[in-house]
Amino acid sequence: MTDTDMITPISDRQRLQITQATNDCIARAGVIFDRDFAFVPVVYDLQGKCAGMYQIRGTQRRIRYNPWIFAKYFEESLTNTVIHEVAHYVVDCVWGIRHVKPHGKEWRETMVAMGAEPKATGSYNLSGIPTRQYRRYAYRCECKTHELTILRHRKIVERGASYRCQSCHSILKQCASG
Ligand SMILES: [Zn+2]
Ligand SMILES: [Zn+2]
C-alpha cells in the first residue's frame, strides 16, 4: 500500500466527538446569549481547502466539516473550527445571515463572547489532503469506510487488484452508492 502519504479521514468515533463538541458549543452559546439555540445537523462531507462551513439550504441549517483537515489538525480544528462555525450559526439566529457580513462585526463579537480569537481563516498545509480535483471512491471493509484514490479504484476495476483493510484484514469492496 503506497498512497499512505494521503491523509486518512477521521474515524467514526472522532466524528462523534466533534459532533458532541459542536453541540456543547451551541449549548454554551445559549448560556452566553441567554436563549435556546437548537442543535443543527453536522455532516462530514466537506472537501477542499475549508475546514468547516455553515450552510443554509432552503430552511435547513447545517454545519459541514472537512474530515481530512480534521484528521491532520485534530486538536486545533476541534477547538477553532467548531467555534468558528457555531459562531456563524449563532449570528444567523440572532441577526440573520443575510443582514450581516460573513466575518463582520457580529461574528467577531460572537467569537469574543465565546472566548475565541476572531480570526477568519486558518492556515493549513494542505499536502496529503484531497482538494476537489481528487475524487475519492468509497469502499467498505468489515470495520469501516475507506476512501480510495482514483488510481487504486482503477487498479481494482480495470486490473482486478484487491486491497485489504489494515485493521480487520478483510478485502475492500466498493460501496453501492459512490
Ligand atoms: Zn467563517
Ligand atoms: Zn477493516
Side-chain angles (χ1 to χ4, degrees), residues 58-164:
T59 56
Q60 264 297 320
R61 296 158 150 158
R62 60 180 191 160
I63 291 175
R64 302 170 67 193
Y65 293 128
N66 184 319
W68 290 274
I69 292 182
F70 266 79
K72 193 167 174 183
Y73 298 97
F74 190 72
E75 292 304 327
E76 194 182 330
S77 301
L78 192 59
T79 326
N80 302 339
T81 305
V82 167
I83 235 174
H84 182 122
E85 302 314 326
V86 168
H88 280 305
Y89 168 55
V90 167
V91 167
D92 186 23
C93 295
V94 177
W95 289 276
I97 206 111
R98 284 179 184 84
H99 305 118
V100 298
K101 286 188 186 155
H103 300 113
K105 139 172 109 51
E106 297 80 5
W107 179 83
R108 290 198 304 270
E109 277 173 20
T110 303
M111 288 292 277
V112 171
M114 294 178 69
E117 213 192 310
K119 225 172 49 165
T121 48
S123 52
Y124 302 107
N125 172 348
L126 295 170
S127 77
I129 292 174
T131 44
R132 276 173 219 283
Q133 64 265 35
Y134 302 118
R135 190 178 157 194
R136 312 292 284 192
Y137 293 81
Y139 276 71
R140 275 204 77 83
C141 61
E142 277 160 21
C143 71
K144 61 182 176 185
T145 314
H146 298 254
E147 311 266 346
L148 267 59
T149 58
I150 184 143
L151 281 174
R152 275 197 184 186
H153 172 70
R154 281 215 188 113
K155 277 189 194 167
I156 293 169
V157 173
E158 292 165 14
R159 290 193 255 149
S162 64
Y163 293 99
R164 283 177 192 277

